[in-house]
Amino acid sequence: MAFQRIVLISLLLVAGVRSLTSGPLQKRVRLKKANNLWRNIDQFLSSLYKEHNISVPIDYFHNDTLYEPHSNGTFPLRYWFDASYYKVGGPVIVLQSGETAGTDRLPFLQKGLLHQLAQATNGIGVVLEHRYYGTSFPTPDLSTENLRFLTTDQALADMAYFARNVVFEGLENRNLTAPETAYFGYGGSYAGAFVAFLRVLYPDVYYGTISSSGVTEAIWDFWRYYEPVREYGPPDCISKQTELINVVDNILRNNTLYTSQLKSAFGLENLTFDDDFAQVLSTPIGGWQGRNWDPQVNDPSFYEYCSNITSPTLINNASANTTDAHQLLSAGGYASSTSTLTVPMLNFINYINKTFVTTVLESDKNKTLDQAYSTHNTTFYSLDDLSQAWRSWPYQYCTQWGYLQTGSGVPPNELPLISRLLTLEYNSLVCRYAFNISTPPDTDAINKYGGFNISYPRLAIVDGEQDPWRGASPHSKQAPNGGNRTSTTEEPFLLIEGGVHHWDENGLFPNETTATLPPEAVKEVQAQEVEFVKAWLEEFKEEKAKRASSMSKDCNGSWWDGEHEVEI
């Protein structure tokens, strides 16, 4: 996920394993230790699970002008698998890694829902990398022209091709391809929407899929991303956040004589653009999404930040420049609130300075704040060799998905949680500078599969009650019936109470469980997922038996389909 502003754009997100985000993200310096931890885990798991590749077509759609000039070539699509629990008749369960390297998903072969499903069904667990991520690149660079094969349709075709053609090492004597073998898909966030579409487009290949926190409705201006934070976050923190951001906006937009003083107070006087400055100040509240029930992957930054701006006393030797704070509060329209907002303002300043300024300057004395946090960096955007892995997800959201998280889109009668300077124009700078795209994405290319309304037999929809991405899922309050449906074994529709971003994906080793971990809400949903997948597998076996019984019988009494004996 590369955490440099503007490029960090993609990879932060879920349950400790990075996931869907969009819009240029600021540098999350505080995640340096976490990134090092993930690197060590990735190295260990990569040695435990052998890396494999399957050769797949670069271009499946030679009749579509979108992909001109077309290609007849192939490229290696990376995957890993664990057949520890496999028995004859068991399914293949494919976890789509989505907008990150597949190595980030390897922990789920050991614990979590993928592992649980493989164990319960005597199946094979697979992590499949998405084209243009990790090492699965079909082109020699990431220039805009060579990114033309990075569409959801092409990637969906990859996943179908995999199921139809894969041969698992050590199991070469068995036909473990679809539709002879039951294939189930799982994904979270972007990958959750992906496997929902997979079930609709390739129902004869994937017998069932689980879409967890699946963002099935593509939305250009996704200002509602922060609404679950407003609804479920600590009221005092939300109140302080909206007031402090409003102070900042009032100065930057209406009282610009104090802009220099405002920037200097935060130690960001050398950050050239006001919208970049507003982005840095808006960053900490975004830690909401990183919360997870698993302590090993939980990001505590949201509550750390909230405890700072709601503290009645100064935190961590915060500068007691009350005169400066009073002047800024007055300039920002809160002269009558200095008695209640001075300490929060000083703690806000201190948190930003220590988290986003001091850390950067100490780590690299030659790096400027503009280099660290500016989105207005055309030189950087021009880089397009394969090492610029940040380009893949922005290209996808600039061309098809959207999800720019703005403050400007919040209704005028509400105070936003992030600055109103974070507009569509600002958040789409990456689209213009990196890809020369100046128009909104083709969200119809995504929403044609169903959007909020997506529904299909053996397609499970699972979401977190407090997930900031819920507003782009079938559980959205903007969806028909307010996002309420009846859940059945055929079409499960589950909401994890108190859950955030695909919380069902994670798991613990037996010696890590406690009386409260995993939480009951997570255990309950995971148990339901295991049960309905087992029911789907039985349904698959029954259908397979019926197909076999309709075939002609040879003279020896074995079932024969014209080519080979059929294994039931």
Side-chain angles (χ1 to χ4, degrees):
M1 294 203 52
F3 286 91
Q4 275 189 0
R5 159 118 204 113
I6 132 181
V7 313
L8 327 192
I9 308 193
S10 151
L11 306 145
L12 174 70
L13 246 156
V14 47
V17 181
R18 308 78 134 171
S19 187
L20 177 78
T21 75
S22 72
L25 293 183
Q26 58 298 318
K27 183 169 182 175
R28 301 291 300 271
V29 204
R30 64 168 306 283
L31 290 177
K32 184 176 181 181
K33 289 184 179 179
N35 286 340
N36 289 336
L37 172 63
W38 275 108
R39 237 186 326 271
N40 292 336
I41 292 174
D42 288 348
Q43 291 171 358
F44 169 73
L45 292 173
S46 294
S47 66
L48 185 62
Y49 299 107
K50 183 178 178 180
E51 175 184 305
H52 301 272
N53 287 278
I54 181 173
S55 182
V56 302
I58 294 174
D59 183 5
Y60 296 89
F61 307 107
H62 284 246
N63 293 325
D64 192 331
T65 58
L66 179 65
Y67 306 109
E68 292 180 344
H70 293 286
S71 172
N72 292 317
T74 61
F75 74 98
L77 189 68
R78 189 164 60 158
Y79 69 97
W80 301 258
F81 74 93
D82 181 3
S84 300
Y85 300 106
Y86 176 70
K87 293 181 181 179
V88 175
V92 176
I93 305 146
V94 184
L95 185 148
Q96 169 54 240
S97 68
E99 75 288 13
T100 186
T103 50
D104 291 339
R105 309 302 191 194
L106 294 185
F108 302 127
L109 287 172
Q110 283 195 315
K111 55 183 180 177
L113 185 63
L114 177 62
H115 177 266
Q116 293 173 29
L117 291 175
Q119 186 176 29
T121 61
N122 296 124
I124 298 173
V126 176
V127 171
L128 181 65
E129 195 161 72
H130 192 293
R131 60 169 54 200
Y132 286 91
Y133 294 93
T135 63
S136 299
F137 292 104
T139 54
D141 61 43
L142 299 175
S143 63
T144 302
E145 179 183 7
N146 279 337
L147 284 168
R148 70 187 182 278
F149 299 113
L150 177 52
T151 65
T152 300
D153 281 340
Q154 293 278 11
L156 285 164
D158 284 339
M159 195 157 169
Y161 186 94
F162 174 85
R164 289 171 173 149
N165 295 277
V166 67
V167 176
F168 293 105
E169 185 178 272
L171 296 167
E172 293 88 351
N173 61 327
R174 297 200 174 278
N175 180 3
L176 293 173
T177 59
E180 179 67 18
T181 295
Y183 268 72
F184 299 113
Y186 175 90
S189 196
Y190 161 66
F194 186 99
V195 298
F197 303 158
L198 183 75
R199 177 69 185 128
V200 173
L201 279 178
Y202 299 98
D204 295 331
V205 181
Y206 282 82
Y207 196 74
T209 61
I210 301 174
S211 172
S212 183
S213 293
V215 287
T216 56
E217 179 81 12
I219 302 168
W220 180 219
D221 186 347
F222 191 41
W223 64 268
R224 283 193 173 91
Y225 174 87
Y226 289 96
E227 291 308 290
V229 189
R230 184 194 302 275
E231 181 176 358
Y232 297 104
D236 190 25
C237 178
I238 301 308
S239 174
K240 290 295 190 295
Q241 173 72 8
T242 55
E243 290 174 326
L244 293 171
I245 289 296
N246 197 36
V247 169
V248 172
D249 277 0
N250 286 340
I251 291 175
L252 295 178
R253 300 169 75 205
N254 306 318
N255 204 351
T256 56
L257 289 175
Y258 288 87
T259 295
S260 178
Q261 183 180 350
L262 178 68
K263 286 185 175 181
S264 295
F266 285 91
L268 291 165
E269 62 272 18
N270 293 324
L271 191 54
T272 304
F273 294 94
D274 291 349
D275 44 18
D276 287 332
F277 171 71
Q279 172 68 58
V280 174
L281 269 58
S282 298
T283 296
I285 203 72
W288 179 264
Q289 179 181 310
R291 297 181 306 124
N292 195 277
W293 61 266
D294 182 351
Q296 291 185 4
V297 297
N298 176 56
D299 176 3
S301 66
F302 176 83
Y303 287 109
E304 290 173 354
Y305 172 67
C306 278
S307 68
N308 272 258
I309 64 172
T310 59
S311 172
T313 59
L314 296 178
I315 300 291
N316 295 330
N317 300 315
S319 171
N321 190 346
T322 55
T323 300
D324 204 25
H326 287 171
Q327 289 176 348
L328 292 173
L329 290 169
S330 297
Y334 284 80
S336 63
S337 301
T338 55
S339 62
T340 57
L341 283 181
T342 296
V343 170
M345 183 69 172
L346 290 171
N347 283 334
F348 182 30
I349 289 170
N350 181 68
Y351 184 91
I352 294 295
N353 189 280
K354 290 191 178 300
T355 306
F356 295 98
V357 182
T358 304
T359 309
V360 169
L361 297 179
E362 288 179 350
S363 64
D364 187 349
K365 297 185 184 304
N366 295 318
K367 178 175 286 188
T368 67
L369 290 174
D370 279 342
Q371 289 173 329
Y373 297 120
S374 182
T375 298
H376 304 266
N377 188 339
T378 55
T379 301
F380 174 80
Y381 285 120
S382 66
L383 302 175
D384 60 11
D385 60 272
L386 287 183
S387 70
Q388 307 302 317
W390 62 268
R391 290 176 65 88
S392 297
W393 178 240
Y395 181 80
Q396 287 193 260
Y397 70 68
C398 289
T399 56
Q400 293 189 318
W401 287 85
Y403 299 135
L404 300 191
Q405 298 146 23
T406 70
S408 60
V410 177
N413 62 336
E414 292 184 24
L415 291 180
L417 286 165
I418 61 172
S419 173
R420 288 193 187 274
L421 271 70
L422 306 185
T423 62
L424 283 175
E425 181 180 3
Y426 173 72
N427 283 329
S428 63
L429 287 176
V430 61
C431 304
R432 296 202 297 278
Y433 292 157
F435 313 114
N436 196 29
I437 295 172
S438 57
T439 55
D442 181 14
T443 52
D444 289 344
I446 301 302
N447 294 333
K448 66 184 178 183
Y449 298 123
F452 288 137
N453 298 304
I454 193 166
S455 174
Y456 207 84
R458 295 186 299 280
L459 166 58
I461 304 294
V462 181
D463 287 299
E465 179 188 24
Q466 301 180 10
D467 189 351
W469 291 99
R470 180 178 170 183
S473 79
H475 274 103
S476 171
K477 295 178 181 178
Q478 281 66 54
N481 300 315
N484 294 311
R485 300 184 196 175
T486 300
S487 181
T488 65
T489 299
E490 188 73 356
E491 292 193 42
F493 197 72
L494 307 173
L495 191 65
I496 302 174
E497 182 181 358
V500 189
H501 208 48
H502 42 110
W503 273 16
D504 62 320
E505 189 169 21
N506 294 82
L508 300 175
F509 291 120
N511 66 335
E512 296 175 321
T513 60
T514 69
T516 57
L517 294 176
E520 283 301 320
V522 172
K523 286 195 291 187
E524 181 180 339
V525 166
Q526 289 180 332
Q528 291 182 65
E529 289 173 308
V530 168
E531 288 307 308
F532 66 63
V533 169
K534 286 168 65 177
W536 292 352
L537 180 59
E538 289 308 308
E539 190 175 340
F540 173 85
K541 291 178 178 179
E542 290 172 6
E543 289 184 6
K544 185 176 178 182
K546 289 178 182 178
R547 288 197 304 270
S549 67
S550 67
M551 298 175 185
S552 59
K553 210 177 183 188
D554 73 0
C555 59
N556 294 321
S558 59
W559 298 109
W560 189 260
D561 69 357
E563 292 183 32
H564 52 273
E565 290 187 341
V566 177
E567 179 187 278
I568 299 177

